[in-house]
């Protein structure tokens, strides 16, 4: 392990220990001040965040929106450091997951469920709410470097009741492991708003083209498990989410498997866009996303995309 990797691992370890030891009000003030400094400095990540938010809005993101988005991202990390110290009752009460009964029903029906998530709000807290209801949950996680950092995140999520499959270095194929988990009626949440690998499915998103992972659609088509999208955002007193769906799955008449995966992944993209457009400040996308970026200052494209699938198919 290099000296830099040791420093990174030490920083996260210190965060988990020190932030949990601080009074919540003091920790919150500390992270908020750090977020405001980062927003004012406008480093490369914040600049990219501002451009991404501009595409969501179909214009230019205001300084206030960018500051609020950086504060939201800092709040995610603050909560990540503090979540492991909370009881199951505190987890249930500290995050409002509207429609969680749909996931509970899918588990009880024996099908399990696939959940497509954006990088928004606090997805770890949403998963912790599901497990706090006694419902098993399995997901995948990137194998971070250094290995010690990956191990700390693994322990963190396992302590929240999740079963974690590494993207590489595990036993067998991750998708086969997820199929097995669905066969045991687990809930399978997957971050679904960014995949710039050659394997991603090209979709339209806020008027531009990007790639999103095929996994959620492929699992739904392969197993018959229902596929949901979750909107994620923050309220002043709580994290929030809303389970939307299940999405209608194309049948064999729609075409071969690759066509059906593409159609279903576009539905996921439209669902994620609706939630992000409703709560743009809580979308934590600090990386390049679009292959072909939306036309600058084109609010019509953003409105059209955010309106797509604006109502829950089951409501």
């Amino acid at each position: 392990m290099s000296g830099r990797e040791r420093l990174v691992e030490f920083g996260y370890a210190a965060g988990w220990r020190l932030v949990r030891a601080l009074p919540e009000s003091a920790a919150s003030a500390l992270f908020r001040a750090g977020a405001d400094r980062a927003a004012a400095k406008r480093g490369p990540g914040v600049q990219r965040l501002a451009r991404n938010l501009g595409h969501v809005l179909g214009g230019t993101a205001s300084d206030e929106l960018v500051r609020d988005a950086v504060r939201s991202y800092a709040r995610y990390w603050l909560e990540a450091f503090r979540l492991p110290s909370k009881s199951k009752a505190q987890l249930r009460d500290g995050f409002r997951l509207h429609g969680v009964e749909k996931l509970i029903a899918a588990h009880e029906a024996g099908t399990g469920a696939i959940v497509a998530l954006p990088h928004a709000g606090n997805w770890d807290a949403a998963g912790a709410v599901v497990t706090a209801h006694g419902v098993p949950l399995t997901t995948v996680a990137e194998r971070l470097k250094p290995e010690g950092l990956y191990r700390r995140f693994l322990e963190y999520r396992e302590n929240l009741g999740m079963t974690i499959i590494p993207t590489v270095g595990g036993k067998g194929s991750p998708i086969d492991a997820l199929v097995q988990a669905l066969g045991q009626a687990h809930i399978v949440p997957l971050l679904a708003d960014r995949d710039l690998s050659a394997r991603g499915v090209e979709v339209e998103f806020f008027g531009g083209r990007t790639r999103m992972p095929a996994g959620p659609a492929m699992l739904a088509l392969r197993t018959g498990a229902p596929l949901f999208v979750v909107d994620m955002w923050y309220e002043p007193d709580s994290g929030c989410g809303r389970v939307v769906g299940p999405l209608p799955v194309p049948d064999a008449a729609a075409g071969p498997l690759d066509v059906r995966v593409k159609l279903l992944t576009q539905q996921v993209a439209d669902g994620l866009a609706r939630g992000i457009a409703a709560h743009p400040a809580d979308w934590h996308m600090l990386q390049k996303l679009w292959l072909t970026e939306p036309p600058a200052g084109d609010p019509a494209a953003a409105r059209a995309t955010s309106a797509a699938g604006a109502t829950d198919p089951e409501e």
Side-chain angles (χ1 to χ4, degrees), residues 145-201:
K145 291 186 181 297
E147 180 71 11
L149 177 59
Y150 167 73
R151 292 291 174 188
R152 289 186 186 277
F153 270 101
L154 181 64
E155 182 182 3
Y156 158 60
R157 292 187 168 111
E158 287 178 341
N159 286 341
L160 295 175
M162 306 178 190
T163 299
I164 305 299
I165 300 166
T167 52
V168 294
K171 296 180 180 179
S173 162
I175 196 161
D176 288 343
L178 294 176
V179 168
Q180 183 179 6
L182 287 165
Q184 297 168 351
H186 288 208
I187 305 303
V188 173
L190 299 168
L191 288 166
D193 56 350
R194 183 175 187 265
D195 183 355
L196 295 183
S197 73
R199 298 183 301 276
V201 177

Side-chain angles (χ1 to χ4, degrees), residues 78-262:
L78 170 62
E79 292 181 353
F81 288 137
R82 296 181 69 88
L83 269 178
S85 62
K86 295 188 176 182
S87 68
K88 287 187 177 182
Q90 288 173 318
L91 291 171
R92 283 194 300 267
D93 295 341
F95 189 97
R96 294 191 289 271
L97 183 55
H98 306 285
V100 67
E101 65 276 1
K102 296 180 181 182
L103 304 183
I104 296 170
H107 167 65
E108 292 175 345
T111 63
I114 306 133
V115 180
L117 300 168
H119 286 80
N122 191 332
W123 50 93
D124 288 324
V129 168
V130 173
T131 60
H133 279 86
V135 176
L137 182 151
T138 297
T139 189
V140 295
E142 180 183 1
R143 195 157 202 135
L144 301 170
K145 291 186 181 297
E147 180 71 11
L149 177 59
Y150 167 73
R151 292 291 174 188
R152 289 186 186 277
F153 270 101
L154 181 64
E155 182 182 3
Y156 158 60
R157 292 187 168 111
E158 287 178 341
N159 286 341
L160 295 175
M162 306 178 190
T163 299
I164 305 299
I165 300 166
T167 52
V168 294
K171 296 180 180 179
S173 162
I175 196 161
D176 288 343
L178 294 176
V179 168
Q180 183 179 6
L182 287 165
Q184 297 168 351
H186 288 208
I187 305 303
V188 173
L190 299 168
L191 288 166
D193 56 350
R194 183 175 187 265
D195 183 355
L196 295 183
S197 73
R199 298 183 301 276
V201 177
E202 205 169 300
V203 295
E204 183 174 348
F205 194 57
F206 289 107
R209 303 295 295 177
T210 188
R211 291 193 187 105
M212 292 186 177
M218 184 67 74
L219 284 169
L221 290 163
R222 181 171 169 180
T223 68
L227 171 58
F228 299 89
V229 173
V230 173
D231 303 338
M232 304 284 288
W233 71 95
Y234 279 123
E235 298 290 348
D237 64 332
S238 175
C240 295
R242 186 172 79 99
V243 180
V244 179
L247 302 181
V249 177
D251 60 22
L257 179 62
D258 62 331
V259 171
R260 285 178 281 151
V261 167
K262 186 176 179 65

Side-chain angles (χ1 to χ4, degrees), residues 68-86:
D68 289 348
V70 179
R71 285 180 176 178
S72 177
Y73 187 48
R75 180 173 173 178
Y76 162 75
W77 281 107
L78 170 62
E79 292 181 353
F81 288 137
R82 296 181 69 88
L83 269 178
S85 62
K86 295 188 176 182

